[in-house]
C-alpha cells in the first residue's frame, strides 16, 4: 500500500482557532516535513474533533516523520497558535486517487525544480527539499498578496483641453481587500445592513445582515495599468470586459446598463505601504506591470446617463438609416468613444450618408472599421487623436479606402448581414453586422434584415454561462436573462422581441429577436411571423414547439424552388416500435440534378442531400427507379404541415468521404472491449511521423496543410506548390514559417490534449436506409468516391459507431458487403447504407441515432476491431408533460433560459470520462452505464424539455480529482520572433485563491495507467517542437529569413508581364473577384 494519512490533534483537547487555514498549516508543516523527503502533501481541515489530516504518498517517509514526532524527547514541541499538537496515524488507508495525485505532483515539481537548478547554475550543497521550501513558502503566503483598498470606482479616461483626467462615474468608499491570484485578482468587502423583522406576535425587531461582495478581474482582460504613487495611491486598470460579481456567494449582475460602459476601474490603496507591497508583487511577476504616473481626477460635467440621453436625442433629430444609428450607438455603448464624442460626429456622418457616391452602406462600413481601429482614451493617447474633428477625418479616410477596396459590396445570395448583441450578466454589447448563412425566415424577409437580431447570452469573458454546482447562477438566468427576453432588447428606438432559435443555436446559447415592421400592409411582429410560418397551436409542449419553429431558423446554404406536385408521401418502414426509415426519403435523378446544379462546377455528383422542405427535415437519397421529377418524403420526416413553402433548402451534402478520427470516449470503449494498447500507439506514432514529414519539404508542407484542412479557403497548399514551381523561396518567409509552426503545434496539441487519432482505414459518412431490400440484418453497404472520381468500397467485418459514444454498446460489429453490379445500390456513394430488415434498426443501436442527418463512423482497420461487442443500450423515452393551453412565446423563451440553466451535458460527459478511467471495468461499470443513460436524456433535453439533475449522478463521485490526460494544455505563445510553447506550468502550484469566488475544490490530476494516460504522456510538445526546428529542412535555418516573399512575387510578375498593358482589366478583375 502506498501513502499514509496522519491526523493532527491538539493536546488536552484544545480548541481549534476559527481562522485556521490550509495555508497556515502548509507554512507550519513544510519546514518540518522537508527534511524527511516529503515535499508535497495534502492538508484537510476538519470542523470539529481532529484539527486536520495530512496525507503523503511516501509511506516510509511518513512513518519516519511520525516516529520522530512521537519521541518523548522531541524538541521543540509542536506548537500551533499557542497550542501543542500531537500526531497519530489514521486507522483507515488514504484515498488511492489522492495518493496517485500527490505522486504525480511531486514528480512534476521535482522536474520543475531540477530545471530551475540548471537555469540558475546552482550546484552542490542545495537539495531539492531546500528548493521546494523556497518555492512553497511564498506560494502559501496569501497575506503577502493582499492590499487594502479604501475606495473603488467605475470611470473613464476623459480630456479637458489637452490634459487627460480620470472621471469616476460611480465611486464607493469601502473597507476592502484586493487579493492577487495567479490568473486574476478579487476585490472583496462586506456591508452591514439593518433588517426590520416584523412579526405580529412579538412586534418589530431590528437585526443586522452582513452581505459579502466579491468582484473578480482576470489579468488577461487588462489593457493597461496605471499606478499613481504620488497623489492618491490609486491603481487604475483599463479592462476589455466587466468583472464577475458575487453577492454572498451568488452570481450577481450590474443593473445600470450605462455604468458598464466604464471599463476603467480605480482602486485607491490605503497607504504608501500598500503601494510598496503592490510593487513587490509586480517585481515577483505575480501581477501585471504598472506604469508609474501621476493621475488627476475630476467630477465636473454631465453624468453618463445624461450623456447617453443626449446621444439618443441627437440620433432622433437626424434622418439616419438604422445601420448608421446602430454603429454610432455601438461606438458609445461598447466604450470605444465617449457618448459626447459620438454626438459630435453625427453631423459629419449625416453629410456622408447624403453624398451620392457614399450613401448608407459605405458610411456604415466605415463606422464599423472605426470601431475596430479607434484608440482607447487614456494617458498614452493624445487628446488630439480623439478630437471629434480628427475622428471625422479618420472616418473620411476609411470611406475612401472602402471605395478602393470595394469591400462594402453586397453579400451573396447564400448569406445575409446579421446584426448581433452579446448579453452578459452586466452588459449588452453590440456587434456586427456580419455575413452569415441565411435561413428560411431571413430569406422571406430579406429586405428587412436589420429588423432581425441574433442575441448571444454569455459570461463577461464571452464564454457560455452554464450550470455551476459551486455557485448559484439563478439570479443571472432568471432576473437578468429571462427578464431581458421578456421585455425585449432596446436598440436605437426599436424593441427586439424574442422570436426563436434553431437546435444548434440553443446549444450555443443564441436566439433570434425581431423588431416589428410593415410588410405588404401587414404589421409583422414576432407573434405574427410565427403565425405565418404555420399553425403550431396543436403542440402543447414548449420544447417541442420551439424545436418545430426552430427548423425554419436552421442555417441553409441554398433554396431551390420546386413544384409542390412532385412531392409524394410514402410509408415509413416500422417494426416492433423501431422506425428503420426514421428521417430518410428518396428522390429521382431529375430532382437530384436540380440540387447538384447549386454546387460548384466539376464537383463529383452527390447522391445524398440533407434538406429542409416545408415542415419536413432529413436526408434524401437517389432512387434511379423513379422517373421524371419526384421527391418522396416519409411521415417521420414531416414535423409540421401547411407552411405553403415550395423550396428545397440544402443543409448538407454527401460530397466526399470525411476523415475518421478516434476521440477519447471511443478510444476508451475500444480499450474496454480489449483492443490492445499497441493499436492506439501505432495510430499516434503514424500521426506524429506525418507531422514530422510535413516540414521536411515545401511539397510535403502543402500536402500536410491540405490534409489538415488548413488554408483551404485561401488555397494556401496550391500557392505553396505554385511558388515552388516558380522557384520562389517561400521557406524564407516569416509568415509562412509561422503558419507551418502554428499548424503543426495545433495538431500536436490535438493529439496530446484531445487524443484525436486519425484512422486511415476508416470513413465518416451520412447514413441512409436500403430502399431496395438488398441488405440482410447486420449488413451495411459503404461506398465513396475518391478525388479522382473513382468509386471505392469496403467489405468484410467492420466496426460502426456514431458520436457521442459513451455506452460500450454504442460500438457494433457488422458485415460490409459488395453488391451485384445491377443493384440500384451501385448508384449511391459517399454514404453508408443500413439494412431495412431485422427486429431493430442498426442506427438506433448506435447512441440512439437516426437517419435525418446523422453521420456514422465506419472502421475496417483490423487492429481496432474487437473480438466481441456489448449489447446496445435501449433507453425508454421520458414521459412529456403537456400544457393545458397553447404554447406561447413566453413558454419558449422560458425553455431557452431553462436550457442554459440546467444543461448538464458537459458535466455528464466529464464525470463519465473520469469514472471510466478510475474503474477497472471502465465503461462497462454500472456507474458509467448510468451516466450514459443520463447523457442520452441530456442530449434530448433541447427537444423534450426533460432535464437531468446532478442528484441522479453516482453517489459521492467527485469530479475535481481527474486523470492526467484531462489536465489543461500548455499555452502557445505568439511573439514577434515566432511561436513558442509555454516552458513550465505546474498546475498544482496554480492555486488561484480557491476560496475567492472560485471553486471550493481545485482540479487535481493523477497519472492514468489506462491507454489515454499512456498516449498523453508519450508526447512532450516542447521536446517535439525543439527537435522539429533542429531537423526540419524548412524550419531549422533562420539565417536567410526575409521580411517577406511579396517583393519576390512582385519582381517575378513585373519580369513576366514586361510592357503589357493591364490597368484597364482591373474593373473586370474586381467583378471576377465578386463572382
Amino acid at each position: 500500500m502506498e501513502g499514509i494519512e496522519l491526523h493532527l490533534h491538539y493536546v488536552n483537547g484544545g480548541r481549534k482557532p476559527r481562522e485556521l487555514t490550509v495555508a497556515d498549516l502548509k507554512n507550519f508543516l513544510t519546514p518540518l516535513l522537508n527534511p524527511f523527503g516529503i515535499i508535497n502533501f495534502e492538508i484537510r481541515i476538519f470542523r470539529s474533533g481532529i484539527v486536520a489530516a495530512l496525507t503523503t504518498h511516501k509511506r516510509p517517509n511518513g512513518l519516519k516523520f511520525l516516529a520522530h514526532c512521537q519521541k518523548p524527547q522531541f524538541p521543540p514541541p509542536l506548537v500551533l497558535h499557542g497550542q501543542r499538537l500531537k500526531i497519530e496515524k489514521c486507522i483507515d488507508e488514504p484515498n488511492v486517487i489522492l495518493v496517485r495525485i500527490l505522486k504525480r505532483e511531486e514528480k512534476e515539481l521535482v522536474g520543475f525544480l531540477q530545471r530551475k537548478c540548471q537555469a540558475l547554475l546552482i550546484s552542490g550543497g542545495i537539495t531539492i527539499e531546500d528548493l521546494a521550501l523556497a518555492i512553497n513558502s511564498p506560494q502559501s503566503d496569501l497575506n503577502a498578496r493582499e492590499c487594502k483598498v479604501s475606495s473603488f470606482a467605475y470611470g473613464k479616461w476623459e480630456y479637458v483641453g489637452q490634459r487627460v483626467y480620470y472621471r469616476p462615474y460611480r465611486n464607493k468608499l469601502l473597507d476592502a481587500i484586493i487579493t492577487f491570484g495567479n490568473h486574476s485578482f478579487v476585490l472583496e468587502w462586506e456591508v452591514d445592513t439593518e433588517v426590520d423583522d416584523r412579526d405580529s406576535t412579538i412586534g418589530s425587531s431590528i437585526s443586522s445582515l452582513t452581505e459579502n461582495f466579491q468582484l473578480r478581474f482576470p489579468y488577461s482582460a487588462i489593457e493597461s495599468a496605471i499606478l499613481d504613487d504620488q497623489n492618491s495611491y490609486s491603481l487604475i486598470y483599463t479592462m476589455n470586459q466587466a468583472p464577475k460579481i458575487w453577492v454572498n456567494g451568488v452570481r450577481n449582475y450590474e443593473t445600470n446598463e450605462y455604468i458598464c460602459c466604464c471599463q476603467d476601474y480605480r482602486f485607491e490603496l490605503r497607504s504608501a505601504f500598500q503601494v510598496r507591497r503592490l510593487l513587490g508583487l509586480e517585481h515577483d511577476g505575480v501581477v501585471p506591470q504598472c506604469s508609474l504616473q501621476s493621475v488627476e481626477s475630476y467630477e465636473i460635467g454631465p453624468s453618463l446617463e445624461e450623456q447617453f440621453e443626449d446621444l439618443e436625442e441627437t440620433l432622433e433629430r437626424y434622418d439616419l438609416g438604422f445601420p448608421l444609428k446602430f454603429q454610432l450607438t455601438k461606438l458609445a455603448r461598447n466604450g470605444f468613444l465617449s457618448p459626447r464624442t459620438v454626438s459630435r460626429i453625427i453631423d459629419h456622418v449625416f453629410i456622408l450618408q447624403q453624398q451620392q457616391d457614399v450613401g448608407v452602406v459605405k458610411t456604415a462600413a466605415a463606422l464599423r472599421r472605426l470601431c475596430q481601429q479607434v484608440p482607447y482614451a487614456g494617458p498614452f493617447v493624445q487628446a488630439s487623436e480623439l478630437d471629434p474633428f480628427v475622428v471625422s477625418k479618420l472616418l473620411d479616410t476609411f470611406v475612401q479606402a472602402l471605395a478602393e477596396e470595394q469591400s462594402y459590396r453586397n453579400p451573396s445570395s447564400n448569406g445575409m448581414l446579421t446584426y448581433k448583441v452579446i448579453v452578459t450578466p452586466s452588459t449588452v454589447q453590440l456587434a456586427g453586422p456580419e455575413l452569415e448563412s441565411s435561413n428560411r425566415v431571413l430569406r422571406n424577409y430579406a429586405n428587412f434584415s436589420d429588423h432581425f437580431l441574433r442575441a448571444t447570452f454569455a459570461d463577461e469573458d464571452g464564454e457560455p454561462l452554464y450550470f455551476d454546482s459551486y455557485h448559484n447562477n439563478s439570479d443571472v438566468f432568471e432576473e437578468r436573462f429571462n427578464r431581458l427576453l421578456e421585455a425585449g432588447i432596446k436598440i436605437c428606438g426599436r424593441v427586439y422581441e424574442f422570436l426563436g432559435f434553431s437546435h444548434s443555436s440553443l446549444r450555443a446559447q443564441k436566439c433570434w429577436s425581431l423588431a416589428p415592421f410593415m410588410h405588404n400592409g401587414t404589421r409583422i411582429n414576432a407573434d405574427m411571423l410565427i403565425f405565418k410560418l404555420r399553425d403550431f397551436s396543436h403542440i402543447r409542449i414548449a420544447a417541442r414547439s420551439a424545436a418545430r419553429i426552430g427548423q425554419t431558423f436552421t442555417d441553409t446554404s441554398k433554396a431551390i424552388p420546386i413544384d409542390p406536385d412532385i412531392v409524394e408521401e410514402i410509408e415509413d418502414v416500422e417494426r416492433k416500435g423501431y422506425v428503420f426509415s426514421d428521417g430518410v426519403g428518396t428522390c429521382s435523378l431529375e430532382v437530384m440534378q436540380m440540387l447538384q446544379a447549386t454546387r460548384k462546377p466539376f464537383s463529383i455528383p452527390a447522391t445524398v442531400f440533407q434538406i429542409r422542405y416545408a415542415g419536413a427535415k432529413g436526408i434524401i437519397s437517389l432512387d434511379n427507379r423513379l422517373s421524371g421529377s419526384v421527391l418522396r418524403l416519409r411521415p417521420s420526416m414531416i414535423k409540421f404541415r401547411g407552411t405553403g413553402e415550395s423550396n428545397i433548402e440544402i443543409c448538407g451534402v454527401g460530397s466526399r468521404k470525411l476523415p475518421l478520427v478516434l476521440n477519447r470516449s471511443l478510444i476508451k470503449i475500444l480499450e474496454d472491449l480489449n483492443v490492445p494498447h499497441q493499436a492506439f500507439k501505432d495510430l499516434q506514432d503514424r500521426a506524429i511521423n506525418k507531422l514530422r514529414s510535413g516540414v521536411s519539404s515545401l511539397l510535403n508542407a502543402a500536402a500536410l496543410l491540405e490534409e489538415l484542412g488548413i488554408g483551404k479557403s485561401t488555397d494556401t497548399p496550391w500557392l505553396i506548390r505554385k511558388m515552388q514551381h516558380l522557384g520562389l523561396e517561400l521557406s524564407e518567409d516569416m509568415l509562412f514559417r509561422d503558419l507551418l509552426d502554428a499548424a503543426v503545434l495545433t495538431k500536436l496539441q490535438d493529439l496530446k490534449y484531445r487524443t484525436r487519432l486519425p484512422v486511415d482505414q476508416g470513413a465518416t459518412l451520412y447514413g441512409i436506409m436500403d430502399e431496395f431490400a438488398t441488405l440482410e440484418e447486420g449488413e451495411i453497404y459503404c461506398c465513396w468516391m475518391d478525388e479522382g472520381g473513382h468509386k471505392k468500397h469496403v467489405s468484410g467485418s467492420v466496426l460502426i459507431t456514431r458520436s457521442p459514444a459513451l455506452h460500450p454498446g454504442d460500438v457494433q460489429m457488422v458485415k460490409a458487403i459488395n453488391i451485384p453490379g445491377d443493384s440500384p445500390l451501385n448508384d449511391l456513394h459517399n454514404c453508408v447504407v443500413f439494412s431495412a430488415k431485422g427486429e431493430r434498426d442498426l442506427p438506433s443501436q448506435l447512441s440512439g441515432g437516426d437517419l435525418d442527418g446523422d453521420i456514422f463512423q465506419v472502421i475496417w482497420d483490423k487492429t481496432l476491431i474487437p473480438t466481441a461487442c456489448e449489447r446496445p443500450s435501449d433507453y425508454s423515452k421520458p414521459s412529456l408533460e403537456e400544457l393545458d393551453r397553447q404554447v406561447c412565446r413566453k413558454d419558449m423563451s422560458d425553455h431557452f433560459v431553462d436550457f442554459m440553466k440546467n444543461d448538464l451535458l458537459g458535466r455528464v460527459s466529464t464525470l463519465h470520462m473520469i469514472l471510466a478511467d478510475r474503474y477497472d471495468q471502465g465503461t462497462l461499470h454500472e456507474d458509467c452505464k448510468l451516466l450514459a443513460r443520463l447523457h442520452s436524456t441530456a442530449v434530448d433535453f433541447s427537444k423534450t424539455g426533460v432535464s437531468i439533475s446532478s442528484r441522479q449522478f453516482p453517489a459521492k463521485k467527485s469530479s475535481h480529482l481527474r486523470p492526467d490526460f484531462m489536465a489543461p494544455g500548455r499555452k502557445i505563445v505568439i511573439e514577434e520572433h515566432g511561436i513558442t510553447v509555454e516552458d513550465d506550468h505546474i498546475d498544482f502550484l496554480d492555486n488561484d485563491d480557491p476560496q475567492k469566488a472560485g471553486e471550493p475544490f481545485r482540479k487535481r490530476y493523477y497519472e492514468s495507467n489506462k491507454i489515454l494516460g499512456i498516449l498523453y504522456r508519450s508526447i512532450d510538445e516542447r521536446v517535439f517542437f525543439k527537435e522539429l526546428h533542429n531537423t526540419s529542412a524548412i524550419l531549422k535555418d533562420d539565417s536567410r529569413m526575409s521580411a517577406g516573399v511579396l517583393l519576390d512575387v512582385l519582381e517575378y510578375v513585373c519580369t513576366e508581364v514586361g510592357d503589357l498593358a493591364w490597368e484597364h482589366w482591373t474593373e473586370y478583375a474586381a467583378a471576377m473577384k465578386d463572382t
Side-chain angles (χ1 to χ4, degrees), residues 690-705 720-721 724 728-741 744 1025 1027-1042:
K690 190 171 289 185
L691 291 179
R692 286 197 177 99
S693 65
V695 295
S696 61
S697 70
L698 284 173
L699 292 179
N700 284 355
L704 176 65
L705 293 177
I720 294 172
R721 295 189 183 100
Q724 173 84 347
L728 298 175
E729 287 297 331
L730 192 58
S731 60
E732 297 177 14
D733 183 73
M734 192 67 176
L735 177 62
F736 167 71
R737 290 163 63 102
D738 285 347
L739 170 67
L740 200 55
D741 271 348
V744 170
F1025 199 53
E1027 289 177 353
L1028 206 63
H1029 276 255
N1030 289 336
T1031 59
S1032 168
I1034 300 176
L1035 302 176
K1036 71 177 179 179
D1037 184 9
D1038 288 335
S1039 61
R1040 298 183 297 122
M1041 290 302 297
S1042 67

Side-chain angles (χ1 to χ4, degrees), residues 419-447:
Y419 289 82
K420 300 179 177 182
V421 295
I422 302 169
V423 180
T424 74
S426 295
T427 67
V428 177
Q429 300 276 308
L430 307 189
E434 297 174 4
L435 186 62
E436 291 194 351
S437 296
S438 189
N439 58 53
R440 182 184 305 174
V441 175
L442 294 183
R443 272 192 290 269
N444 287 344
Y445 301 100
N447 293 330

Side-chain angles (χ1 to χ4, degrees), residues 258-273:
Y258 298 120
I259 203 69
C260 290
C261 300
C262 301
Q263 295 189 341
D264 302 303
Y265 304 95
R266 185 182 67 186
F267 308 86
E268 198 163 299
L269 306 180
R270 280 199 172 275
S271 65
F273 171 77

Side-chain angles (χ1 to χ4, degrees), residues 454-570:
R454 195 162 199 170
T456 300
F457 292 79
D459 210 337
E460 306 297 355
D461 54 7
E463 295 297 316
L465 187 65
Y466 291 123
F467 171 89
D468 190 337
S469 59
Y470 302 118
H471 303 104
N472 186 346
N473 291 332
S474 294
D475 285 354
V476 173
F477 288 122
E478 297 296 340
E479 303 297 323
R480 168 67 170 165
F481 291 170
N482 211 350
R483 284 189 179 182
L484 191 67
L485 288 171
E486 188 174 355
I489 300 172
K490 300 176 178 62
I491 300 173
C492 304
R494 294 178 177 177
V495 179
Y496 286 85
E497 307 169 326
F498 172 82
L499 182 59
F501 46 83
S502 67
H503 180 259
S504 60
S505 65
L506 174 62
R507 293 208 170 276
Q509 300 186 351
K510 299 178 181 180
C511 69
W512 288 99
S513 295
L514 175 72
F517 58 89
M518 295 300 296
H519 180 254
N520 294 335
T522 302
R523 185 176 185 270
I524 304 295
N525 60 12
D527 290 319
M528 176 58 70
L529 191 146
I530 292 173
F531 174 76
K532 282 181 169 291
L533 292 176
R534 73 135 290 145
D535 181 14
F536 297 96
S537 60
H538 64 286
I539 302 176
R540 298 302 174 95
I541 300 169
R544 181 170 293 170
S545 180
R548 299 294 176 255
I549 295 171
Q551 279 182 226
T552 63
F553 292 104
T554 301
D555 292 347
T556 49
S557 60
K558 296 283 185 179
I560 302 97
I562 64 168
D563 184 350
D565 292 338
I566 73 170
V567 181
E568 301 176 0
E569 188 171 332
I570 59 176

Side-chain angles (χ1 to χ4, degrees), residues 164-168 266 295-299:
V164 63
Y165 292 85
Y166 180 78
R167 169 75 189 274
R266 185 182 67 186
V295 176
E296 296 182 73
S297 63
Y298 80 107
E299 300 185 30

Side-chain angles (χ1 to χ4, degrees), residues 440 551-552 556 560-568 610-618 620 631-633 637-651:
R440 182 184 305 174
Q551 279 182 226
T552 63
T556 49
I560 302 97
I562 64 168
D563 184 350
D565 292 338
I566 73 170
V567 181
E568 301 176 0
Q610 184 183 13
I611 66 159
R612 300 287 187 268
Y613 174 76
K617 62 187 285 278
I620 55 171
L631 173 64
R632 286 184 166 178
L633 305 177
M637 302 175 69
I638 301 170
K639 307 304 179 182
F640 57 91
R641 299 176 184 272
T643 66
E645 286 286 332
S646 58
N647 290 333
I648 296 181
E649 299 168 297
I650 300 175
C651 302

Side-chain angles (χ1 to χ4, degrees), residues 990-1005:
D990 218 5
N991 196 359
D992 197 4
D993 29 281
Q995 299 301 326
K996 302 283 186 181
E999 297 180 4
F1001 303 107
R1002 59 187 173 93
K1003 298 179 182 68
R1004 303 178 68 181
Y1005 306 92

